[in-house]
Structures are given as C-alpha cells and as structure tokens.
Amino acid sequence: MPSTTTSGGAILRDATSRYRKARREEDGAHGAYDAETKRAGAAPRAEVNVSRDSAPADIAAVLGVEPGTEVAVRARKMFQDDQLVQLADTYIPVDVAEAAGIEQVDTGVGGIISRMAEAGFAQAEVTEDVSQIEADADQAAALGVQAGDKLLQIIHTGRTDAGRAVEVTRHILGPNWTLRFSVPVA
C-alpha cells in the first residue's frame, strides 16, 4: 500500500482511496478531509454554514436541474491546525439533503457521503475535475495569497448507481496540499 503521509505536514488528498467508507470514517473521522488531515499529523477544523440557495448555472447543469432551482448548500472553510487551507461549497438536491438529514453543521462519522448512503443515495462513482484558477480578492484574503495567484480548483461530482448527481462540490485549495492519483496500468 502506498504511503499515506507526505513530507512537511502537507495534506495528502489521495483520490484513489479518500472516498472509501473505511478511509472517510477512519478513527471516527467526519469525512475524507477530517481523516486525511489527521493522517498528516494535524488537527482538522471546519467552519460550516448550511443554507438553501439557488443553484448556479454550472452546478445546476451537473445536477440536472434548472438554473436557479433551490438546493442545499454547505459552505465550508477548512483548516489544518489554525491555517485555512481550503474553501469548499457543496450543492445537494433538496430531496437528497432532506432524506439524508445533512442540513446540519455536524453530519457525523463519515460525513455527508455516509449519510447519503444510509438514505439510499450511495455514491457509486465520483468524478473530480482539477484545474487552475486565479484567486479572486476574497479567496486571496482568506487563503493568504495574492489576488491573481494560481490556486487549484477541484469540481467533485458524486453519482449514484443510476447516474444521478447527488452532490457537486467546488473545492478551492490553498497552500500545503499534495494531490495523488493512482491508476492500475496492467
């Protein structure tokens, strides 16, 4: 099994295994970020705001709803020890959020993916598109970089066996991340 740590305390975001139940619930973790930050030897913390809002057009397209449709939104600021390292906004169809009971700040061991699975909306496939974006003024101020600096953006889409998108998360990563992708070659 490959190493789960990196040098310098960087958080290892291992796309190969981070969404497996055993990994996201490891040692009582409340989701993948919580588990991987603890594995890096740091203390995870998140400031979470849960609301309902209109789905932006790009998110609505992925969720298969009309732009402006009301969705549950989980806006998070994620910290490694006391350093803000990630901004993440998650958009969830209201029927899924209500059934899974995830319109609360603390969603328990395993986080929203575990609650969705318990409610019959198990994510069978996850797609993550990684791109670079230029930090806007708010992102730069929050993450301690300069406006215009390059940041990594990950658009995460979780789909059920039937192909329904039940979650779209826009992750904006600040400093101190290592991304790992591992694919069998044989």
Side-chain angles (χ1 to χ4, degrees):
M1 179 176 206
S3 170
T4 59
T5 60
T6 62
S7 62
I11 302 167
L12 176 60
R13 189 179 196 284
D14 188 346
T16 308
S17 62
R18 79 185 308 258
Y19 297 112
R20 292 187 183 142
K21 183 176 180 173
R23 296 294 271 179
R24 70 177 188 271
E25 294 184 0
E26 183 179 344
D27 295 326
H30 287 214
Y33 172 77
D34 193 52
E36 58 204 9
T37 303
K38 288 176 181 175
R39 281 193 296 275
R45 180 172 63 86
E47 295 175 2
V48 181
N49 180 33
V50 182
S51 63
R52 289 193 182 181
D53 204 348
S54 299
D58 61 332
I59 300 297
V62 176
L63 290 175
V65 299
E66 291 296 317
T69 298
E70 184 178 61
V71 294
V73 181
R74 295 180 58 82
R76 292 167 290 154
K77 293 181 178 180
M78 302 161 90
F79 296 82
Q80 177 189 29
D81 296 323
D82 290 324
Q83 180 183 1
L84 180 63
V85 294
Q86 181 178 174
L87 304 170
D89 292 335
T90 301
Y91 302 87
I92 305 158
V94 169
D95 67 308
V96 174
E98 288 177 347
I102 54 179
E103 289 185 272
Q104 56 193 349
V105 171
D106 184 354
T107 55
V109 174
I112 67 170
I113 294 176
S114 291
R115 299 299 77 75
M116 286 180 185
E118 293 165 358
F121 296 99
Q123 293 184 22
E125 178 183 79
V126 169
T127 301
E128 294 191 335
D129 295 316
V130 181
S131 60
Q132 282 189 318
I133 62 167
E134 290 186 3
D136 65 26
D138 291 336
Q139 293 163 339
L143 294 167
V145 298
Q146 299 296 314
D149 282 359
K150 297 291 186 184
L151 295 173
L152 290 178
Q153 172 179 262
I154 300 171
I155 303 295
H156 162 103
T157 305
R159 295 184 184 279
T160 64
D161 269 334
R164 181 180 182 194
V166 293
E167 169 198 0
V168 179
T169 301
R170 184 186 322 268
H171 301 270
I172 307 297
L173 303 182
N176 212 26
W177 283 92
T178 297
L179 303 183
R180 175 176 289 160
F181 305 92
S182 180
V183 179
V185 178

